[in-house]
Amino acid sequence: MESIIALDVGTTAVKAALFSGKRLAMKGLVIREYTLLTPSHGMIEIDPEEYWNNAVSAIRQLMSQTCADYKSITAIVCTTQGETLIPVDKNAN
């Protein structure tokens, strides 16, 4: 059965959900929370690796708990909170 993974990269957590492809029925949901860094008043930061590691971990757990086959995934969609900037160097780091 075709499936879709939806990732929501929010302010305090990454949420991963698996939906069936035809009726978009949710088959599973995993939430991975993280801690924000607040170096000064009005400033919030997070290590970009936290986003990546939590997204990967959430997808792996989601696939395991739903017994879904990776080959059934036809799309991955991603949403984020506003005004997020992650600069990268020439090596995509």
Side-chain angles (χ1 to χ4, degrees):
M1 174 185 295
E2 294 182 352
S3 300
I4 297 170
I5 292 177
L7 286 174
D8 176 30
V9 183
T11 303
T12 60
V14 171
K15 282 101 37 205
L18 182 71
F19 295 90
S20 66
K22 294 201 177 209
R23 296 189 181 198
L24 293 180
M26 189 166 65
K27 301 297 184 183
L29 173 68
V30 172
I31 300 171
R32 289 275 187 246
E33 295 182 348
Y34 36 78
T35 302
L36 300 174
L37 307 173
T38 52
S40 66
H41 179 70
M43 184 183 292
I44 298 173
E45 296 179 353
I46 187 168
D47 181 348
E49 288 293 317
E50 286 287 320
Y51 289 134
W52 177 254
N53 293 334
N54 281 287
V56 169
S57 176
I59 290 171
R60 285 183 175 149
Q61 183 180 350
L62 183 66
M63 298 302 286
S64 176
Q65 83 179 25
T66 60
C67 299
D69 181 357
Y70 284 95
K71 293 178 183 178
S72 72
I73 305 302
T74 57
I76 298 175
V77 297
C78 186
T79 65
T80 65
Q81 73 275 19
E83 298 147 7
T84 298
L85 175 67
I86 301 175
V88 296
D89 64 16
K90 65 182 179 182
N91 299 314
N93 295 313

